[in-house]
């Protein structure tokens, strides 16, 4: 029988079962558990009060993965839950408010955590806007160029933005909102921004939802800004080779040719976290009215 590790997390005790189970190429459940334990102080502020969708690999690297929305009955009662409306009913999502919950989820083989862009107190009003820069292939140079163009446009309409690797192929550009806009309004604004950028760079960028219509162009994806949609949470692990991690980075780091979407792994993400690359950018959420007027002026 595999060993069982027991660790203290705040006021709770959490166990790690079958620590040597392989969850992906080159990493075990113990590696996942230790990563989330080390990044918890940096990750939890991005998770608290937000419903989660959990990407689980309960049978390890060789088994199927599945996306979990509803919180199972066997989860401890001290784990926060959020019952949110859906068509014809509700969904009871898990909410990760503390380190013990994060470690419990790691023991449940939750490799990747995807979070809502709104908080439980105002579930219909996002306080984050996300642009997902999705390349046609695995050419990070196209992602780097698109991020710079988008960052420049957001600067011109006076919106602060933060940059994050996804641990996959692209980048996320994140804008803090004041929480006073409905999802449909936020997504429509994001679409207007993306359309403006794509229209100015039609050979390189597209907002076409169908892959067959994109060709080799990078897709400016704003669909994550809809109600009940999620985006990968900062410091989440991906199940790819070497366990890449979605990591906040500073805009200046785009100038480093060694930086790409999978630059950081469970072996190095905490060092990047300690540099505080976002340095308070997301603390002051913005209204979209002034930015929308500036964007309209640019388009005209």
């Amino acid at each position: 029988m595999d060993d069982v590790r027991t660790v203290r997390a705040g006021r709770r005790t959490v166990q790690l079962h079958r620590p040597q189970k392989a969850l992906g190429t080159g990493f075990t459940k113990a590696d996942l558990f230790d990563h989330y334990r080390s990044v918890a102080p940096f990750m939890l502020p991005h998770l608290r009060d937000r419903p989660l969708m959990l990407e689980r690999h309960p049978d390890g690297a060789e088994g199927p993965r599945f996306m979990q929305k509803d919180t199972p009955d066997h989860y401890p009662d001290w784990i926060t839950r959020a019952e949110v409306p859906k068509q014809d009913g509700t969904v009871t999502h898990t909410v990760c408010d503390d380190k013990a919950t994060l470690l419990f989820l790691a023991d449940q083989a939750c490799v990747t955590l995807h979070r809502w862009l709104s908080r439980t107190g105002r579930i219909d009003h996002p306080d984050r806007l996300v642009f997902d820069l999705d390349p046609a292939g695995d050419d990070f140079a196209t992602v780097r160029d698109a991020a710079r163009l988008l960052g420049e446009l957001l600067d011109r309409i006076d919106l602060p933005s933060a940059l994050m690797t996804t641990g996959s192929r692209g980048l996320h550009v994140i804008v803090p909102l004041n929480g006073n806009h409905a999802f449909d309004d936020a997504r429509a604004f994001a679409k207007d921004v993306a359309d403006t950028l794509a229209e100015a760079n039609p050979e390189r960028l597209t907002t076409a939802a169908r892959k067959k219509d994109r060709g080799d162009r990078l897709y400016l994806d704003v669909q994550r800004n809809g109600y009940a949609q999620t985006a990968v949470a900062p410091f989440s692990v991906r199940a790819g080779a070497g366990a890449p991690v979605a990591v906040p980075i500073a805009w200046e780091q785009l100038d480093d040719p060694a930086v790409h979407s999978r630059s950081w792994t469970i072996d190095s993400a905490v060092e990047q976290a300690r540099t505080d690359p976002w340095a308070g950018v997301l603390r002051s959420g913005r209204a979209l009215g002034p930015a929308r007027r500036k964007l309209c002026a640019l388009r005209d």
Side-chain angles (χ1 to χ4, degrees):
M1 181 180 294
D2 288 342
D3 293 337
V4 176
R5 283 174 49 188
T6 301
V7 302
R8 191 75 180 173
R11 297 180 294 108
R12 310 288 181 190
T13 298
V14 182
Q15 290 187 325
L16 171 63
H17 302 85
R18 302 181 65 190
Q20 297 311 310
K21 175 189 282 188
L23 292 182
T25 305
F27 75 102
T28 65
K29 190 195 281 190
D31 296 327
L32 181 76
F33 190 90
D34 291 341
H35 164 76
Y36 283 131
R37 191 180 185 188
S38 67
V39 300
F42 311 102
M43 187 176 190
L44 286 170
H46 303 289
L47 298 177
R48 288 191 179 102
D49 301 325
R50 299 184 188 275
L52 297 177
M53 181 170 66
L54 305 171
E55 183 180 326
R56 295 185 56 201
H57 296 249
D59 297 318
E62 302 304 319
R65 70 168 187 169
F66 71 94
M67 308 302 285
Q68 175 181 302
K69 293 183 180 180
D70 267 310
T71 305
D73 292 339
H74 72 270
Y75 277 25
D77 58 8
W78 47 262
I79 288 180
T80 304
R81 292 149 168 85
E83 185 175 0
V84 301
K86 69 169 185 176
Q87 188 174 8
D88 301 324
T90 62
V91 179
T92 302
H93 288 268
T94 300
V95 179
C96 186
D97 284 335
D98 54 34
K99 186 176 182 179
T101 300
L102 185 58
L103 297 185
F104 176 85
L105 294 177
D107 183 54
Q108 297 294 302
C110 295
V111 176
T112 311
L113 285 70
H114 304 263
R115 62 175 186 161
W116 279 46
L117 302 184
S118 60
R119 298 179 184 270
T120 55
R122 300 197 74 195
I123 202 66
D124 295 318
H125 294 76
D127 63 354
R128 296 286 183 269
L129 201 67
V130 173
F131 297 87
D132 183 6
L133 310 186
D134 183 11
D138 202 13
D139 179 10
F140 192 72
T142 64
V143 181
R144 193 189 308 270
D145 292 343
R148 290 192 178 109
L149 290 171
L150 179 55
E152 290 168 1
L153 177 56
L154 293 171
D155 285 345
R156 291 181 69 185
I157 59 176
D158 292 330
L159 285 180
S161 59
L163 197 60
M164 185 180 78
T165 68
T166 62
S168 181
R169 297 186 307 173
L171 291 170
H172 283 181
V173 177
I174 302 165
V175 175
L177 303 181
N178 63 5
N180 291 332
H181 303 278
F183 271 103
D184 287 348
D185 189 22
R187 181 167 57 181
F189 173 80
K191 180 67 162 55
D192 286 344
V193 171
D195 283 342
T196 300
L197 205 60
E199 289 164 8
N201 301 272
E203 301 301 317
R204 291 188 282 173
L205 307 176
T206 180
T207 57
R210 294 182 178 182
K211 285 188 177 181
K212 68 180 183 66
D213 296 329
R214 299 176 198 166
D216 295 330
R217 295 174 296 175
L218 180 139
Y219 176 40
L220 299 168
D221 185 2
V222 299
Q223 297 307 310
R224 299 180 188 280
N225 296 292
Y227 177 80
Q229 299 300 307
T230 59
V232 65
F235 305 109
S236 285
V237 177
R238 298 290 197 165
V245 176
V247 170
I249 64 173
W251 280 98
E252 297 77 25
Q253 290 179 274
L254 276 185
D255 297 331
D256 183 348
V259 167
H260 57 81
S261 192
R262 299 183 293 275
S263 289
W264 287 272
T265 70
I266 55 174
D267 295 324
S268 57
V270 70
E271 284 78 12
Q272 171 68 7
R274 292 188 180 115
T275 68
D276 191 19
W278 287 353
V281 172
L282 301 182
R283 291 177 185 168
S284 180
R286 298 298 182 89
L288 292 179
R292 183 180 285 111
R293 289 190 288 274
K294 290 183 175 68
L295 183 65
C296 287
L298 287 176
R299 291 176 68 92
D300 292 340

